[in-house]
Amino acid sequence: MSDVVITVRGEHETRIAPERAIAHMTIRAEGPERGAVVERMAALTEPVRDDLASRKSAGTVAEWTSQRVSVWSERPWNNEGKRLAPVHYATVDFSVTFTDFAVLSWWAGEVAEREGVQLGWIEWKLTPETRASVEREVATEAVGVAVIRATAYAAALGLGNVTPVELADVGLLTQPASPEMAPAPRMLMAKASFASDSGGGPAVQLQPEDIVISSAVEARFAAR
């Protein structure tokens, strides 16, 4: 009896609490004179830089960067359809990495009250070491699910010997009938989001969601 080819998919997913939080912040100034606006932005930025530098020295901030300084002008329209005098804008973006989320909450509540500061979004992350370890574990589990499914299908056919023939990320398994099939998205993906609201104190209450790491594989087995 010739071998029976069994093609299956295996998936696995795990959730893990984030270990890092990267806060994104923008400092913004505007006004009728370009030079004065740039000076104003620099004046607003200096105490924020000093605060972050001291926090990093104290160990409450893992790292921070300031980048993407932008200066531009716009001429707004009034309600009569006439162009007004130019308005100049200047911004600088910051990213700040925290390992202590309680410290992040207090910092967010404090910095949000500063003039010209716009607190943006929070990225919840794992350390590279943790992510690599979890991705390996999830991928291994996904392959195990594929083996279990193939073995179950073979048993249902009265076959007992299952031999792996091919294993690939989803969409990359050889498709004789559709050789030009486009590959699927990456095998390993993660997503994270957050919610925040103001409480009765100076801290912003942050509630990070667990980071989801998932893996999906396709496998082909020969059963006899």
Side-chain angles (χ1 to χ4, degrees), residues 83-94:
R83 298 294 294 270
L84 302 178
V87 177
H88 302 277
Y89 302 89
T91 63
V92 59
D93 294 336
F94 285 79

Side-chain angles (χ1 to χ4, degrees), residues 58-71:
T60 57
V61 165
E63 61 181 358
W64 65 275
T65 60
S66 62
Q67 54 193 351
R68 294 186 58 189
V69 176
S70 302
V71 181

Side-chain angles (χ1 to χ4, degrees), residues 2 10 33-34 55 118 135 138 169 191 224:
S2 61
E33 297 183 6
R34 181 185 180 92
R55 288 177 181 272
Q118 298 175 342
E135 286 180 348
V138 171
D169 292 350
K191 59 183 178 180
R224 65 179 63 179

Side-chain angles (χ1 to χ4, degrees), residues 206-219:
L206 301 175
Q207 184 59 49
E209 292 183 358
D210 287 346
I211 293 175
V212 179
I213 298 181
S214 61
S215 174
V217 299
E218 293 176 343

Side-chain angles (χ1 to χ4, degrees), residues 77-143:
W77 300 83
N78 66 11
N79 55 9
E80 297 177 351
K82 295 181 180 181
R83 298 294 294 270
L84 302 178
V87 177
H88 302 277
Y89 302 89
T91 63
V92 59
D93 294 336
F94 285 79
S95 61
V96 188
T97 302
F98 292 86
T99 57
D100 187 325
F101 299 162
V103 172
L104 167 61
S105 295
W106 281 92
W107 174 85
E110 179 182 296
V111 78
E113 296 180 355
R114 291 178 178 264
E115 181 184 355
V117 172
Q118 298 175 342
L119 187 60
W121 72 101
I122 308 290
E123 291 182 78
W124 304 103
K125 291 182 173 290
L126 301 173
T127 63
E129 296 78 14
T130 298
R131 172 169 288 280
S133 175
V134 174
E135 286 180 348
R136 286 194 298 269
E137 293 173 2
V138 171
T140 299
E141 292 292 337
V143 173

